[in-house]
Amino acid sequence: MPRHARCKGRMTLKPLTLAATVLALLAFSQVPAACAQTPEDSPVTLDRVFPELKFERPVALIQSPTADATWYVVEQRGVVWRVEASRGKTDKTVFADIRGRVEDGPNEAGLLGMAFHPNFARNGEVFLSYTTDAPGLTSRIARYRSPDAGTTLDVGGEEVLLELEQPFGNHNGGHIAFGPDGYLYAGFGDGGAGGDPHGNGQDPMTLLGTILRLDIDDGNGESYGIPPDNPFAGKSGGRPEIHAWGLRNPWRFAFDPETGALWAADVGQNQWEEVDVIRRAGNYGWNIREGAHCYRAGDCATDGLIDPVAEYSHRDGCSITGGHVYRGKTVPALDGHYVYGDYCSGRIWAMPAGTPDRPGAPRLILDTDLAISSFAQDREGEVYVIDHDDGAIYRLAMREPS
């Protein structure tokens, strides 16, 4: 996707002075971190973390569940790096390398998601979501184990949990995350091409165009079990794995660490990008609607379809990247705001999360030249931004008065 260059060289970012917390262990940049045009009333800027390190097409950043100063960077090509950031020194070592299994081109395929089991400290389980060629493009979720408390991953002991054939090369989704209920959530796009030619978004008999909810601890002899309150559990009319459907390409979702609400970004077709709050049994409208608008006609049936809580047109970007509800202390003005961005334009917005039914209006907080592939959040509630093209990682920081 294209990146803009309209703000090259416009701004210098200053280093952040950190409180004496574990986050002080991160090495912060003391040179300009990113081209970021900050609206005059915005409280936010960006500081680069791990400034001596770069990564190749990173798509995820995850803090270790057992060590605050240890992070994992997921590269689309099929490599996961373990990053140790302590006392001013930052090192990276290979945690996992599955390039031999990953099909990562030419569009949106690759190693797309990673999640630690909630009981990782006890069982050492890690889950990866990636596309493989088997022989056609196929999405796969697999379980692995770390034999040494997160230093390396035993990729030879892969246990495939789920495979989903992809009819086209884009809209693979691929994000995975554990919810506060302990279940594994997984997002998949509508199967690709343009306009959902197979009608997958509105077909709950396929796993395409959905967010799934899986019990990976109690499968009754199967690879995974079905939570009993899934909308189609024990019923006809849909696949029992489905939690919500009607999605085009849910690119990054996250649970609010305070309320548990599930926020997702759904990439649009030609006109609208949208933010959704995902509910059980929710139908989010694709391909009847794109955002809050009829996709193909001036009038369309909307009964049973859930509106996005925010949207923007392609005047402001072309591919939304989902973020997190900010619960940190570094930027108090962002407390309780959902932060998200756009891959093409590099813009970053924040909107008051409020209640899931009544979020506030979004506002632009940063205008950068980053190709934003993902956001991340640490246990302190701070939010990070990942640049897919340059392989750099940034942290939201308080803007110093000019």
Side-chain angles (χ1 to χ4, degrees):
M1 292 181 181
R3 292 175 60 191
H4 66 73
R6 62 180 180 273
C7 61
K8 293 287 185 185
R10 291 197 307 198
M11 180 179 178
T12 298
L13 297 179
K14 300 178 181 179
L16 177 68
T17 301
L18 295 178
T21 65
V22 67
L23 294 173
L25 299 175
L26 293 176
F28 279 78
S29 175
Q30 298 189 20
V31 297
C35 169
Q37 178 67 21
T38 304
E40 290 184 3
D41 61 345
S42 174
V44 186
T45 187
L46 295 175
D47 277 333
R48 186 169 173 185
V49 298
F50 319 137
E52 61 270 46
L53 302 180
K54 275 197 172 184
F55 302 94
E56 184 176 335
R57 292 184 294 146
V59 293
L61 170 71
I62 303 165
Q63 189 178 28
S64 166
T66 57
D68 288 334
T70 301
W71 296 79
Y72 297 85
V73 177
V74 179
E75 294 181 336
Q76 189 173 354
R77 64 187 177 133
V79 176
V80 181
W81 293 97
R82 180 177 182 264
V83 176
E84 286 288 341
S86 60
R87 306 195 184 283
K89 184 179 179 181
T90 307
D91 297 311
K92 71 174 184 178
T93 57
V94 173
F95 176 65
D97 186 345
I98 59 168
R99 283 176 291 177
R101 303 170 194 172
V102 170
E103 172 58 56
D104 69 331
N107 294 316
E108 301 165 18
L111 176 55
L112 303 174
M114 172 174 156
F116 288 92
H117 193 286
N119 293 321
F120 172 78
R122 178 176 55 82
N123 62 27
E125 292 184 359
V126 181
F127 297 79
L128 297 180
S129 172
Y130 65 94
T131 54
T132 189
D133 188 2
L137 189 67
T138 301
S139 290
R140 174 182 291 171
I141 298 174
R143 184 195 328 246
Y144 307 80
R145 288 171 178 83
S146 174
D148 44 23
T151 301
T152 61
L153 195 65
D154 177 15
V155 298
E158 177 182 74
E159 175 191 350
V160 176
L161 300 184
L162 182 148
E163 289 190 323
L164 177 60
E165 184 179 348
Q166 294 285 349
F168 301 100
N170 56 345
H171 305 181
N172 305 131
H175 187 58
I176 55 175
F178 281 93
D181 54 11
Y183 294 126
L184 181 68
Y185 291 71
F188 293 110
D190 64 6
D196 192 10
H198 295 170
N200 293 320
Q202 290 300 309
D203 181 6
M205 295 305 297
T206 176
L207 300 184
L208 296 168
T210 68
I211 290 179
L212 310 182
R213 182 170 175 254
L214 310 175
D215 183 347
I216 50 77
D217 290 324
D218 185 8
N220 260 343
E222 303 295 330
S223 298
Y224 56 83
I226 302 299
D229 57 342
N230 275 10
F232 299 108
K235 301 175 184 176
S236 60
R239 294 285 298 271
E241 298 93 338
I242 291 175
H243 178 66
W245 68 99
L247 297 159
R248 184 177 180 272
N249 191 27
W251 183 252
R252 301 302 181 236
F253 54 82
F255 295 90
D256 182 343
E258 185 171 298
T259 69
L262 177 54
W263 292 74
D266 196 20
V267 179
Q269 180 71 38
N270 297 319
Q271 298 188 58
W272 297 98
E273 306 295 308
E274 69 181 81
V275 175
D276 297 304
V277 176
I278 302 296
R279 301 177 181 86
R280 186 181 70 87
N283 181 346
Y284 290 84
W286 178 252
N287 67 353
I288 299 171
R289 299 213 291 172
E290 181 185 6
H293 310 267
C294 294
Y295 172 57
R296 286 197 174 94
D299 188 22
C300 58
T302 61
D303 289 349
L305 306 183
I306 298 176
D307 278 341
V309 296
E311 62 177 10
Y312 60 88
S313 78
H314 281 197
R315 292 188 301 271
D316 294 316
C318 77
S319 182
I320 192 170
T321 299
H324 295 265
V325 177
Y326 184 87
R327 297 294 182 184
K329 296 180 179 178
T330 300
V331 190
L334 286 184
D335 183 44
H337 285 65
Y338 178 67
V339 178
Y340 61 100
D342 187 88
Y343 180 92
C344 306
S345 69
R347 292 186 171 107
I348 298 175
W349 294 269
M351 60 183 295
T355 64
D357 291 324
R358 293 177 175 269
R363 71 166 186 162
L364 183 70
I365 58 171
L366 281 170
D367 192 359
T368 79
D369 70 344
L370 306 181
I372 302 169
S373 63
S374 192
F375 291 83
Q377 189 168 43
D378 63 24
R379 278 186 290 280
E380 301 297 320
E382 304 297 339
V383 171
Y384 300 75
V385 185
I386 300 170
D387 184 0
H388 190 247
D389 284 3
D390 287 344
I393 299 170
Y394 305 90
R395 180 174 179 260
L396 294 185
M398 177 75 81
R399 181 188 182 192
E400 296 184 9
S402 55

